[in-house]
């Protein structure tokens, strides 16, 4: 039994949850809140019960697979609840001379030293970009997966290089710099 799976998922005020009947594909759960609606299909081996303002996640059919998915299902449900009530944010920093970012509508335009600007389109209407000082970028949304995926995509366009530290990095990420070539002796 998972320690994380045993914890109940608390529902804050203003969050509604709809647990549909179990099918062969799984259990469809829809979570609605002030920041939007998220839907996910969970595995059929897991059982969700609603009590007052909390959801209990339990194993319905005892197998190795269901034990493995117990904690995961609880965490995914909790991320949905947090996403529609508070949202998620990832912060990126752009380091390098001439490297900058700007927002045009729902697009993010990056100048990363290439011969052309890199345009990143928000994959859904829930993802929002914000830029301050042309080098600090924040990505917000209600789905933790989507926010992390977009942040990783942006970072992949110019990952930080180990000699000068130039590139796109997560805020607070420490780049271990390598020593350059030693001169002739």
């Amino acid at each position: 039994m998972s320690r994380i799976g045993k914890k109940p998922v608390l529902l804050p005020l203003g969050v509604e949850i709809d647990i549909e009947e179990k099918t062969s594909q799984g259990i469809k759960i829809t979570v609605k809140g002030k920041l939007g609606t998220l839907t996910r299909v969970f595995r059929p081996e897991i059982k969700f019960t609603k009590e007052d303002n909390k959801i209990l996640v339990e194993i319905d059919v005892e197998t190795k697979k269901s034990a493995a998915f117990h904690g995961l299902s609880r965490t995914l449900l909790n991320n949905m609840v947090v996403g529609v009530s508070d949202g998620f944010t990832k912060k990126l920093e752009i380091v390098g001379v001439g490297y900058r970012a700007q927002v045009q509508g729902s697009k993010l335009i990056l100048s990363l030293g290439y011969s052309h600007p890199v345009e990143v389109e928000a994959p859904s209407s829930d993802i929002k970009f914000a830029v301050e000082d042309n080098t600090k970028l924040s990505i917000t949304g209600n789905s933790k997966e989507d926010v992390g995926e977009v942040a990783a995509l942006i970072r992949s366009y110019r990952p930080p290089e180990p000699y000068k530290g130039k590139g796109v990095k997560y805020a607070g990420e420490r780049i271990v710099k390598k020593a350059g070539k030693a001169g002739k002796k």
Side-chain angles (χ1 to χ4, degrees), residues 4-21:
I4 292 173
K6 288 180 190 176
K7 293 181 186 177
V9 176
L10 300 174
L11 295 176
L13 289 172
V15 174
E16 297 175 23
I17 192 161
D18 180 33
I19 302 170
E20 293 185 11
E21 291 295 316

Side-chain angles (χ1 to χ4, degrees), residues 35 88 105-108 120-130 138-151 154:
L35 295 180
F88 292 100
S106 66
K107 278 188 186 176
L108 177 70
V120 180
E121 185 74 39
S124 68
S125 62
D126 297 330
I127 301 292
K128 305 276 188 266
F129 298 116
S138 65
I139 303 148
T140 57
N142 61 8
S143 173
K144 189 173 188 176
E145 290 175 58
D146 291 345
V147 170
E149 198 172 309
V150 170
I154 292 170

Side-chain angles (χ1 to χ4, degrees), residues 3-178:
R3 277 189 242 157
I4 292 173
K6 288 180 190 176
K7 293 181 186 177
V9 176
L10 300 174
L11 295 176
L13 289 172
V15 174
E16 297 175 23
I17 192 161
D18 180 33
I19 302 170
E20 293 185 11
E21 291 295 316
K22 185 192 298 190
T23 63
S24 61
Q25 276 76 31
I27 302 167
K28 185 176 178 183
I29 296 182
T30 304
V31 181
K32 294 177 187 168
K34 64 182 180 188
L35 295 180
T37 304
L38 292 175
T39 303
R40 178 181 286 277
V41 177
F42 289 91
R43 298 195 53 97
E45 298 100 355
I46 306 298
K47 181 173 79 173
F48 299 91
T49 52
K50 185 176 180 181
E51 290 181 2
D52 299 328
N53 65 339
K54 58 186 170 185
I55 305 292
L56 299 175
V57 181
E58 299 162 339
I59 298 174
D60 197 20
V61 181
E62 291 283 339
T63 62
K64 274 189 172 182
K65 224 175 206 178
S66 64
F69 285 108
H70 185 211
L72 174 69
S73 299
R74 189 259 178 212
T75 301
L76 291 174
L77 180 63
N78 189 55
N79 284 345
M80 289 169 65
V81 170
V82 171
V84 297
S85 61
D86 298 333
F88 292 100
T89 301
K90 280 272 189 187
K91 295 187 182 288
L92 297 171
E93 295 174 355
I94 301 172
V95 179
V97 177
Y99 291 7
R100 63 181 180 276
Q102 61 185 4
V103 178
Q104 284 183 352
S106 66
K107 278 188 186 176
L108 177 70
I109 298 173
L110 301 165
S111 298
L112 297 174
Y114 296 120
S115 61
H116 60 282
V118 177
E119 293 185 2
V120 180
E121 185 74 39
S124 68
S125 62
D126 297 330
I127 301 292
K128 305 276 188 266
F129 298 116
V131 176
E132 68 178 61
D133 300 335
N134 290 330
T135 58
K136 290 182 174 62
L137 170 67
S138 65
I139 303 148
T140 57
N142 61 8
S143 173
K144 189 173 188 176
E145 290 175 58
D146 291 345
V147 170
E149 198 172 309
V150 170
L153 173 73
I154 292 170
R155 186 181 185 274
S156 73
Y157 287 124
R158 181 69 81 176
E161 53 97 15
Y163 295 103
K164 292 183 180 177
K166 290 170 46 172
V168 181
K169 65 177 188 160
Y170 294 112
E173 182 182 8
R174 197 168 145 258
I175 307 302
V176 179
K177 292 187 181 174
K178 292 182 178 180

